[in-house]
Amino acid sequence: MLRIQEHVNLQPFNTFAIPVTARYFCEVTSEAELISLCSQLTDYPRYMVLGGGSNVLFCNHYDGLIIHNRIQGISFEAKNQKVHGQFGGGENWHECVLRSVEQGLYGIENLSLIPGTVGAAPVQNIGAYGVEIKDVFVSLRAVNLIAGNVEIFNAERCQFDYRDSVFKQAEAGKFCITEVTLSLDKAGSPKAGYGELSAELAQCGISAEDATPKQMSNAVCTIRKRKLPDPSELPNAGSFFKNPIVSADKHQQLKQSFPDMVSYALPNGEYKLACGWLIDAMGWKGKLQNGAQIHQQQALVLINRGGGAEAICNFANDIKAAVYERYGVTIESEPGWIS
Ligand SMILES: Cc1cc2nc3c(=O)[nH]c(=O)nc-3n(C[C@H](O)[C@H](O)[C@H](O)COP(=O)(O)OP(=O)(O)OC[C@H]3O[C@@H](n4cnc5c(N)ncnc54)[C@H](O)[C@@H]3O)c2cc1C
């Protein structure tokens, strides 16, 4: 049964813990509820879907309707040589990873401990330790909030890219993802190409070639707990900036000035720069400015130290300007700014 609440404090619903309110707020627990809500949406000045709030920055009070996705459900089905995992859009992503690795399934173990919901995972094509959700993606179900019907998206229709998909571009704000199907594999193999990951496995006496999904997941969790601040202790939204991509010429020019700069060659000849290195090399790691701080260990992570949205927005703009001034490179923020 749909219940529309008014003036709801969003602080517990975003990992930056920004204390803004939503004028209207409702939880949806099924596709049917969501479809019935669609016919009422024109009554609201605006609306948006919210999952775990771990990739948004609320800059102001929200004057419309927040649709909080709570659609549950986890199931596994044998499909030829693979297993298809079906996960409700409101499920906690990490819980789904744990359920998969408990079954001995390879595929999403490297994406352990990423906060947020299943439904938001394809929106920015979540990725970590050499794996992105697109690598195992089969399809998703989404409710078209304007038409009020269910649509199916395959990988091609999702237009996945680095931290990007059609849900951040042409179809932004139009759909609520209600279920995601992933192709998992009992006979798969571990992807331990990242040096940090193979080192962690070695430390535990586990061979990188033979690691089970559970062992991989444990290793990823150990590294992440060591490196990333827990939002419940230090409010943050993970990496605040995307790694910028530059041309080969620009890369060469930067390498001459900054020989230690960390970068990765891309198959198309361009280079991805480690944005954390760019910020760190300016000596900004740990910098505190008006209640917002760059994390002491992770230059990509911004922490709300009590300054709220204004402090974070101002600091983020200052970081962008300083990076541009120093390197001539434009950086973009990963979380969506909701104003
Ligand atoms: C400590 C920390 C570490 C992180 N590490 C990583 C990482 O390693 N890799 C990575 O990729 N990300 C990482 N993130 C970012 C974040 O966890 C992911 O982007 C996650 O998928 C966001 O999920 P959410 O449910 O919190 O989304 P929200 O913040 O609630 O929403 C994000 C966007 O998706 C939209 N959205 C949400 N749910 C739906 C839906 N069902 N249908 C349609 N649109 C929807 C929202 O409208 C919003 O635009 C990290 C964040 C934190 C706080």
Side-chain angles (χ1 to χ4, degrees), residues 287-294 302-308 311-313 315:
K287 189 172 177 174
L288 180 67
Q289 181 179 298
N290 299 328
Q293 187 179 23
I294 300 178
L302 281 188
I303 298 166
N304 176 11
R305 286 286 193 181
I312 293 165
C313 296
F315 199 16

Side-chain angles (χ1 to χ4, degrees), residues 88-139:
E91 287 284 353
N92 176 273
W93 170 260
H94 180 60
E95 285 302 318
C96 296
V97 174
L98 291 182
R99 289 282 291 275
S100 305
V101 302
E102 272 159 21
Q103 309 228 2
L105 296 168
Y106 287 97
I108 50 177
E109 61 282 3
N110 290 31
L111 304 179
S112 296
L113 220 55
I114 296 181
T117 53
V118 166
V123 173
Q124 80 144 3
N125 181 25
I126 57 166
Y129 301 101
V131 173
E132 292 177 316
I133 194 173
K134 78 168 171 49
D135 303 335
V136 290
F137 183 86
V138 176
S139 64

Side-chain angles (χ1 to χ4, degrees), residues 314-333:
N314 288 340
F315 199 16
N317 285 332
D318 290 350
I319 297 167
K320 276 186 200 179
V323 166
Y324 187 76
E325 197 182 327
R326 174 86 164 238
Y327 308 102
V329 172
T330 303
I331 56 171
E332 287 174 24
S333 65

Side-chain angles (χ1 to χ4, degrees), residues 48 76 104 121 154 175 251 272 284 304 316:
M48 72 167 275
F76 297 93
N154 60 14
F175 288 91
H251 178 255
K272 194 188 272 183
W284 283 40
N304 176 11

Side-chain angles (χ1 to χ4, degrees), residues 13 15 48-56 69 89-90 93 111-129 142 163 167-168 173 175-178 224 228-231 236-239 334 336 338:
F13 296 100
T15 60
M48 72 167 275
V49 178
L50 187 68
S54 64
N55 210 25
V56 287
N69 185 352
W93 170 260
L111 304 179
S112 296
L113 220 55
I114 296 181
T117 53
V118 166
V123 173
Q124 80 144 3
N125 181 25
I126 57 166
Y129 301 101
R163 300 293 180 275
F167 302 105
K168 275 186 152 184
F175 288 91
C176 178
I177 297 167
T178 53
R224 291 185 71 101
L228 288 168
D230 179 348
N236 74 88
S239 299
E334 202 176 286
I338 319 291

Side-chain angles (χ1 to χ4, degrees), residues 141-160:
R141 289 172 69 88
V143 170
N144 181 327
L145 297 169
I146 298 162
N149 62 311
V150 175
E151 297 189 25
I152 311 291
F153 285 70
N154 60 14
E156 192 187 350
R157 194 176 170 200
C158 289
Q159 296 175 25
F160 291 122

